[in-house]
């Protein structure tokens, strides 16, 4: 039976029946009753409508969710562990929730994998990572809180009770925990989130996020031969004056634009670079640099000498505490990231849930070697349903085009734009040339430009009082340079609710638009808009809570608010179905 025990087969039988029962009613999309258009104006602004819960993004049925912990692939199953509060919709009482999937889309929830149970995690089981040992055994390293009232952080190890169980339903914690403690001047309250380990010269290495010298974010290297006794390398792998680094990640990527991922212990070669990522506790964004890992010196050297000042972000929106893993089944590296709410804690308690995970993304190094490219995993396309395609539609200045014939509260939209002339592009203010966020705030979606803004209005109401704009704006090139492309998500008109936090998000797109061509993909899912510009060069995730543009009342438009014509060369939109099972 392929290594499965009788209990596992019985459990899988139950899951199979559940899937069949759900599939029997899922061959077509069933929509709940919604208000007619003429009733939209009577709807009071509210975020408590259950239709604002994500449909196809990973989200437990209730309560608080945050960091992805230790995704891994084992015996034909994808495992996803994440921080979860089983007692409410605010942070606290954190355990490692555990779900499994065959395809990274349809998820079945299991019992929590790790809960406070030993002295070294009695007051919290925080984030960590998984590593596959040479004999195929998975092992988890995680941060434990070992004393009350103080977030004193130590690192623990856990192993599966039964490694022949492909579902890894039970984990045990050896009596020799903790295996790493904050010695040698380490700040014990800022010492967490061990990475996936890599192996070289007979020794394992991993990173723990911390702070050095009071204000420098740091990733410390720990080495071990047996995953039990660990010793710290004196100097950090890398550090920068940014404040605490949490949720670090270090992994190899192939050069030359190869999309194939590399296993974490691939360390050297003429076509191998490394990515060092950290989550900045002060800013609440994820940053990364591309460079070289020197395993002998245990140092990371950014390719860009100014890399610590000009660090890149995975996502320029609401995306944090991310984690990658190598998928051996499809030879790719997959990125998970957490999207928090943009409402208040009181609202989260009232609605009973908070947080979701971004759609998993395949990541690889751009052919230029300067940055990563990201794209939604191919499996998300299995949720596509009814579609509409528009071709060669010219949008004159101030025009918009509605995409009709399908429901777009849950949709996947891919659009290719062509700007016939860039001659009218406006000059870029030098004071904003390195601050995309401020530039978007000053030159947002309603502000007419020479070339742009042009893009999509998503989750829009019929009268467009509510709309979230995802758009590009092109600025004139400096002498001898290429045009500057700004990508923004502007949710300032996303809801009539006056009490919501509705920040604009923006990033520059390192692309050559001299031929006038640029693409955009947006995954729209009720209260989340996840967008990918220029084939995944710039990504922005935004949380929005419409009060009118809900369910069947949500509209989708292509728009052009610039002075130059823009052609929609091709736009295809798909309705998106819910997964059959989504972690419930």
């Amino acid at each position: 039976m392929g290594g499965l025990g009788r209990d596992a087969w019985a459990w899988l039988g139950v899951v199979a029946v559940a899937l069949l029962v759900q599939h029997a009613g899922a061959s077509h999309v069933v929509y709940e009753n919604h208000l007619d258009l003429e009733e939209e104006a009577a709807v009071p602004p509210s975020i408590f409508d259950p239709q604002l819960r994500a449909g196809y993004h990973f989200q437990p049925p209730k309560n608080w969710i945050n960091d992805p912990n230790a995704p891994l692939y084992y015996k034909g199953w994808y495992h996803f562990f994440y921080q979860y509060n089983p007692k409410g919709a605010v942070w606290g009482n954190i355990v490692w929730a555990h779900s499994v999937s065959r395809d990274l889309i349809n998820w079945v929830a299991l019992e929590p994998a790790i809960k406070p149970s030993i002295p070294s995690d009695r007051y919290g089981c925080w984030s960590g990572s998984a590593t596959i040992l040479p004999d195929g055994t998975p092992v988890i390293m995680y941060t434990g809180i070992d004393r009350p009232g103080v977030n004193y952080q130590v690192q623990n190890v856990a192993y599966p009770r039964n490694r022949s169980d492909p579902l890894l339903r039970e984990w045990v914690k050896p009596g020799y925990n903790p295996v790493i403690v904050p010695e040698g001047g380490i700040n014990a309250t800022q010492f967490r989130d061990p990475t996936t380990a890599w192996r070289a010269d007979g020794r394992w290495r991993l990173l723990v996020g911390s702070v050095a010298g009071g204000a420098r974010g740091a990733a410390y290297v720990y080495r071990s031969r047996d995953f039990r006794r660990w010793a710290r390398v004196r100097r950090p792998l890398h550090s920068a004056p940014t404040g605490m680094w949490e949720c670090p990640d270090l992994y190899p990527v192939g050069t030359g634009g190869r999309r194939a991922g590399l296993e974490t212990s691939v360390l050297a070669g003429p076509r191998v670079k490394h990515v060092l990522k950290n989550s900045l506790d002060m800013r609440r964004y994820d940053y990364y640099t591309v460079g070289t890992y020197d395993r002998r010196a245990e140092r990371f050297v950014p390719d860009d000498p100014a890399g610590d000042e000009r660090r890149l972000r995975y996502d320029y929106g609401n995306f944090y505490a991310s984690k990658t893993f190598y998928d051996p089944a499809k030879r790719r590296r997959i990125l998970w990231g957490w999207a928090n709410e943009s409402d208040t804690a009181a609202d989260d308690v009232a609605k009973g849930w908070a947080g979701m995970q971004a759609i998993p993304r395949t990541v690889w190094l751009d052919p230029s070697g300067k940055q990563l490219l990201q794209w939604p995993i191919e499996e998300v396309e299995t949720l596509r349903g009814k579609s509409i395609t528009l071709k060669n539609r010219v949008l004159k200045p101030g025009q918009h085009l509605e995409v009709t014939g399908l429901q777009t509260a849950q949709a996947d939209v891919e659009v290719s734009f062509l700007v016939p002339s860039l001659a009218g592009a406006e000059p870029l203010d030098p004071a904003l040339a390195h601050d995309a966020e401020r530039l978007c705030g000053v030159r947002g979606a309603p502000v007419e430009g020479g070339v742009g803004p042009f893009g999509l209005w998503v989750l829009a109401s019929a009268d467009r009082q509510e709309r979230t704009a995802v758009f590009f704006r092109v600025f004139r090139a400096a002498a001898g340079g290429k045009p500057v492309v700004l990508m923004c998500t502007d949710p300032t008109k996303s809801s009539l609710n006056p009490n919501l936090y509705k920040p604009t998000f923006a990033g520059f797109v390192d692309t050559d638009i001299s031929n006038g061509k640029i693409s955009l993909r947006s995954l729209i899912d009720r209260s989340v808009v996840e967008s990918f510009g220029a084939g995944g060069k710039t990504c922005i995730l935004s949380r929005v809570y419409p009060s009118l543009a809900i369910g069947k009342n949500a509209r989708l438009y292509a728009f052009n608010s610039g002075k130059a014509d823009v052609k929609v060369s091709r736009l295809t939109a798909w309705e998106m179905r819910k997964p059959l099972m989504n972690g419930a």
Side-chain angles (χ1 to χ4, degrees):
M1 291 187 175
L4 286 176
R6 180 177 300 175
D7 290 345
W9 278 105
W11 186 89
L12 290 176
V14 173
V15 172
V17 170
L19 288 171
L20 288 173
V21 169
Q22 292 202 26
H23 186 67
S27 59
H28 63 282
V29 180
V30 178
Y31 297 94
E32 300 171 359
N33 293 328
H34 301 289
L35 295 177
D36 295 328
L37 289 176
E38 58 268 24
E39 296 179 88
E40 281 189 0
V43 179
S46 172
I47 67 165
F48 307 129
D49 193 315
Q51 296 176 80
L52 292 180
R53 275 183 55 85
Y56 60 93
H57 284 70
F58 184 96
Q59 185 178 34
K62 62 180 181 178
N63 297 340
W64 170 275
I65 178 177
N66 63 292
D67 306 7
N69 282 325
L72 64 90
Y73 182 84
Y74 186 71
K75 294 185 181 294
W77 290 86
Y78 293 101
H79 293 255
F80 184 53
F81 306 89
Y82 56 94
Q83 300 273 274
Y84 178 66
N85 180 1
K87 298 181 179 180
V90 296
W91 186 89
N93 310 301
I94 296 298
V95 304
W96 276 45
H98 181 196
S99 293
V100 294
S101 173
R102 288 289 199 183
D103 59 6
L104 289 166
I105 296 295
N106 296 284
W107 293 92
V108 177
L110 305 179
E111 288 296 311
I114 297 176
K115 298 183 287 188
S117 64
I118 59 176
S120 54
D121 71 11
R122 181 173 298 164
Y123 300 99
C125 296
W126 288 10
S127 295
S129 301
T131 301
I132 303 296
L133 301 181
D135 66 358
T137 301
V139 55
I140 282 174
M141 290 282 291
Y142 70 98
T143 297
I145 309 302
D146 72 349
R147 60 194 67 181
V150 179
N151 288 329
Y152 195 95
Q153 297 157 25
V154 298
Q155 315 311 319
N156 298 306
V157 65
Y159 292 90
R161 183 179 297 277
N162 177 12
R163 54 173 291 189
S164 67
D165 176 11
L167 303 179
L168 300 174
R169 286 169 290 186
E170 294 184 76
W171 292 79
V172 295
K173 305 167 185 176
Y176 50 77
N177 275 310
V179 294
I180 301 176
V181 296
E183 297 176 328
I186 294 289
N187 184 332
T189 65
Q190 296 181 304
F191 179 64
R192 54 184 176 267
D193 312 331
T195 66
T196 297
W198 64 95
R199 195 164 186 257
D201 307 323
R203 287 189 292 183
W204 291 99
R205 292 137 165 103
L206 57 75
L207 302 179
V208 179
S210 188
V211 64
R216 294 187 66 86
Y220 282 104
V221 181
Y222 284 81
R223 297 189 294 206
S224 173
R225 294 189 181 278
D226 58 6
F227 249 84
R228 176 174 179 172
R229 291 170 288 271
W230 294 85
R232 176 167 65 90
V233 176
R234 185 178 61 85
R235 293 194 306 172
L237 179 83
H238 195 58
S239 68
T242 58
M244 165 72 184
W245 284 2
E246 58 182 358
C247 303
D249 202 3
L250 179 72
Y251 57 90
V253 288
T255 62
R258 290 182 295 167
R259 295 188 64 149
L262 297 176
E263 198 275 328
T264 307
S265 290
V266 174
L267 300 180
R271 301 183 65 190
V272 175
K273 287 287 184 180
H274 273 77
V275 173
L276 175 63
K277 167 263 170 182
N278 58 77
S279 300
L280 291 192
D281 190 33
M282 291 175 62
R283 300 183 188 177
R284 312 304 291 177
Y285 293 127
D286 281 10
Y287 293 83
Y288 74 89
T289 54
V290 179
T292 300
Y293 166 56
D294 183 341
R295 75 174 184 273
R296 291 181 176 84
E298 298 292 9
R299 300 287 285 171
F300 175 83
V301 181
D303 286 350
D304 183 351
D308 290 329
E309 288 72 39
R310 295 202 297 265
R311 287 162 301 147
L312 299 162
R313 279 167 54 182
Y314 281 148
D315 192 291
Y316 290 85
N318 191 340
F319 184 95
Y320 192 67
S322 58
K323 176 73 64 178
T324 69
F325 78 103
Y326 176 67
D327 174 13
K330 293 194 174 182
R331 298 181 62 241
R332 57 186 174 175
R333 182 157 291 271
I334 295 176
L335 169 69
W336 282 90
W338 166 50
N340 197 6
E341 303 301 312
S342 292
D343 57 3
T344 67
D347 287 337
D348 292 341
V349 171
K351 69 181 192 277
W353 54 271
M356 66 182 66
Q357 302 295 327
I359 293 296
R361 304 172 183 179
T362 303
V363 294
W364 69 100
L365 190 63
D366 182 78
S368 70
K370 296 180 180 179
Q371 69 166 93
L372 294 172
L373 298 176
Q374 304 170 61
W375 201 244
I377 55 169
E378 62 186 19
E379 289 88 342
V380 75
E381 297 172 16
T382 63
L383 300 177
R384 288 173 170 175
K386 181 180 179 181
S387 67
I388 293 291
T389 297
L390 306 176
K391 297 180 182 179
N392 299 321
R393 303 293 184 92
V394 175
L395 296 177
K396 295 290 184 181
Q399 286 187 339
H400 58 265
L401 169 68
E402 184 172 5
V403 181
T404 60
L406 73 169
Q407 297 190 33
T408 59
Q410 292 178 200
D412 185 356
V413 186
E414 294 191 28
V415 56
S416 298
F417 294 103
L418 174 63
V419 183
S421 173
L422 300 175
E426 61 200 293
L428 178 60
D429 182 348
L432 301 175
H434 300 289
D435 194 334
E437 197 71 54
R438 283 183 59 208
L439 182 58
C440 181
V442 173
R443 309 292 289 170
V447 181
E448 182 185 56
V451 178
F454 62 88
L456 299 174
W457 287 330
V458 305
L459 296 175
S461 59
D463 58 7
R464 296 178 301 284
Q465 283 190 81
E466 288 187 348
R467 62 184 187 272
T468 295
V470 185
F471 65 91
F472 299 111
R473 184 189 287 267
V474 183
F475 294 89
R476 187 182 309 156
K482 62 185 181 182
V484 175
V485 180
L486 178 73
M487 177 177 165
C488 298
T489 294
D490 184 348
T492 54
K493 295 184 180 296
S494 62
S495 177
L496 297 185
N497 188 330
N499 301 316
L500 292 173
Y501 177 57
K502 295 179 281 190
T504 57
F505 293 119
F508 292 110
V509 188
D510 186 9
T511 189
D512 184 0
I513 199 174
S514 58
N515 61 6
K517 296 179 180 179
I518 194 165
S519 66
L520 176 66
R521 181 178 183 184
S522 287
L523 298 174
I524 306 159
D525 193 5
R526 297 182 170 187
S527 63
V528 58
V529 181
E530 197 169 352
S531 299
F532 303 80
K537 285 180 176 285
T538 299
C539 308
I540 301 176
L541 187 153
S542 186
R543 300 303 311 279
V544 295
Y545 310 95
S547 55
L548 302 178
I550 297 175
K552 290 198 300 184
N553 295 329
R555 300 289 190 269
L556 171 67
Y557 300 85
F559 77 94
N560 174 23
S561 295
K563 298 177 182 178
D565 289 357
V566 174
K567 178 188 283 188
V568 177
S569 300
R570 182 184 181 92
L571 183 154
T572 302
W574 294 266
E575 292 182 354
M576 294 293 278
R577 295 184 288 262
K578 285 185 178 182
L580 298 178
M581 305 188 80
N582 193 19

